Amino acid sequence: MRQGDEELLDFDTSALENWDAERARAALDGADGALYRNHLRMALLLDQWAEAENGRTDTGGHYKAGYVQALGDVAAFLRQTYYLPAGAD
């Protein structure tokens, strides 16, 4: 089932350094809208991966924290349009 734009944009933006809802909407409506939607879907999957990694008990705490942070950072960059051809402002 295909996710709508509202569902793709339904995430916590409070920890994002450069979140701009207008830029996100413009990206969805622009020439790279399909690519951005894909990035938003990938970010959701990265969130799920980070959650699963955070629950692991077979790795050290520092390793796990770094891994989870890295996944979250990539998801944040995807959401903030950094990987679109035009990039972030």
Side-chain angles (χ1 to χ4, degrees), residues 6-28:
E6 294 306 316
E7 186 178 358
L8 291 172
L9 291 173
D10 185 21
F11 53 86
D12 181 11
T13 61
S14 64
L16 300 179
E17 286 183 16
N18 192 21
W19 175 249
D20 182 332
E22 289 182 29
R23 185 179 66 230
R25 293 281 177 193
L28 287 170

Side-chain angles (χ1 to χ4, degrees), residues 32-43:
D32 296 314
L35 179 60
Y36 186 46
R37 283 178 184 85
N38 183 56
H39 288 183
L40 293 172
R41 287 183 192 97
M42 289 170 47

Side-chain angles (χ1 to χ4, degrees), residues 3-85:
Q3 294 165 305
D5 292 349
E6 294 306 316
E7 186 178 358
L8 291 172
L9 291 173
D10 185 21
F11 53 86
D12 181 11
T13 61
S14 64
L16 300 179
E17 286 183 16
N18 192 21
W19 175 249
D20 182 332
E22 289 182 29
R23 185 179 66 230
R25 293 281 177 193
L28 287 170
D29 294 335
D32 296 314
L35 179 60
Y36 186 46
R37 283 178 184 85
N38 183 56
H39 288 183
L40 293 172
R41 287 183 192 97
M42 289 170 47
L44 287 170
L45 293 172
L46 288 170
D47 287 345
Q48 293 170 2
W49 186 1
E51 187 176 328
E53 287 296 324
N54 201 35
R56 288 179 59 179
T57 59
D58 62 335
T59 59
H62 290 298
Y63 173 84
K64 181 171 38 177
Y67 200 100
V68 168
Q69 180 178 348
L71 292 169
D73 288 349
V74 173
F77 293 160
L78 288 165
R79 288 179 169 130
Q80 293 175 105
T81 71
Y82 289 3
Y83 298 133
L84 292 179

